[in-house]
Amino acid sequence: MHPLVIFYIFAFTLGAVVGSFLNVCIYRLPKNESIVFPPSRCPGCGKGIRWYDNVPIISYLLLRGRCRSCGASISIQYPLVELLNALLTLFLFMKSGPSFAFLVLFLFCSAMVVITFIDLEHQIIPDEISLPGIIAGFIFSFFIPQLGWLNSLLGILVGGGSLWLVAWGYEMLTKKEGMGGGDIKLLAMMGAFFGWKAVPFIIFVSSLTGSLIGISVMLAQKKDSKLAIPFGPFLAFGSVIYIFFGRQMIHWYLGLTGFSAN
Ligand SMILES: [Zn+2]
């Protein structure tokens, strides 16, 4: 077996185990409950979940998605979040190796997973993640020479400011509130982690995917319903695309338009 494979298995397992904790955050943060106490219980019968029934991904498959005590069905979202975080962690590790950058991106992506699932269900982006996220991204920037604190600070201003302007313009034109303050703080957090140049890229990818999905949903429903689709998951998606493909895509685009790729 190639020695790297052991590291890959470790990264996948780390992501799955942390994913299990992210499930707790997704479930409890919107209810303002503690994320460390009490230990997980079955929402059906209230029985504590034993450690051997709490193994990420595997326990769900062994129990076929049901509680061992009462047979209540367990949401498939739990193993999905674990699998998603495990894969993201594995890909980040393949990209960055054992490095400070890996740790930073791992924390960032875990936060994006939590935000995505909370926003999908509750249409909120918890300040408990985005505000510390802005500060954490700014502090990390002092230790990442390619980023630098000034770039990070500009990222916070450009990220937060641009969405704030969009929200303000939309409100002026339609007299309706379109974009929540949560999205503004989330994009500010992304600017803190990746610098101001990442902001237009993330806005572009998230608006494009958001419009495509929004239009598909509207067509599927065959009426112009004002179904509110949260924007946070698309921003999170855009930022993950930026992590893995951003540089290559920006260089490719600048090459197409005849600008130097530097
Ligand atoms: Zn139960």
Side-chain angles (χ1 to χ4, degrees), residues 13 19 31 44 47-48 50 90 123 132 146 172 180 208 218 236 257 261:
T13 310
K31 300 195 214 169
K47 264 206 154 170
R50 312 296 294 266
L90 173 63
Q123 280 79 52
Q146 311 93 289
M172 291 308 279
L208 188 68
M218 264 192 237
T257 50

Side-chain angles (χ1 to χ4, degrees), residues 42-47 67-72:
C42 164
C45 63
K47 264 206 154 170
C67 166
R68 188 186 288 277
S69 310
C70 70

Side-chain angles (χ1 to χ4, degrees), residues 1-59:
M1 194 161 58
H2 197 279
L4 258 182
V5 173
I6 297 174
F7 282 102
Y8 290 165
I9 293 172
F10 174 75
F12 184 90
T13 310
L14 173 73
V17 170
V18 170
S20 190
F21 171 68
L22 301 185
N23 273 320
V24 176
C25 299
I26 292 166
Y27 188 70
R28 294 187 185 176
L29 268 182
K31 300 195 214 169
N32 283 321
E33 290 175 2
S34 161
I35 52 174
V36 285
F37 189 83
S40 300
R41 298 175 172 282
C42 164
C45 63
K47 264 206 154 170
I49 294 166
R50 312 296 294 266
W51 66 268
Y52 50 80
D53 286 340
N54 212 0
V55 181
I57 306 169
I58 295 168
S59 287

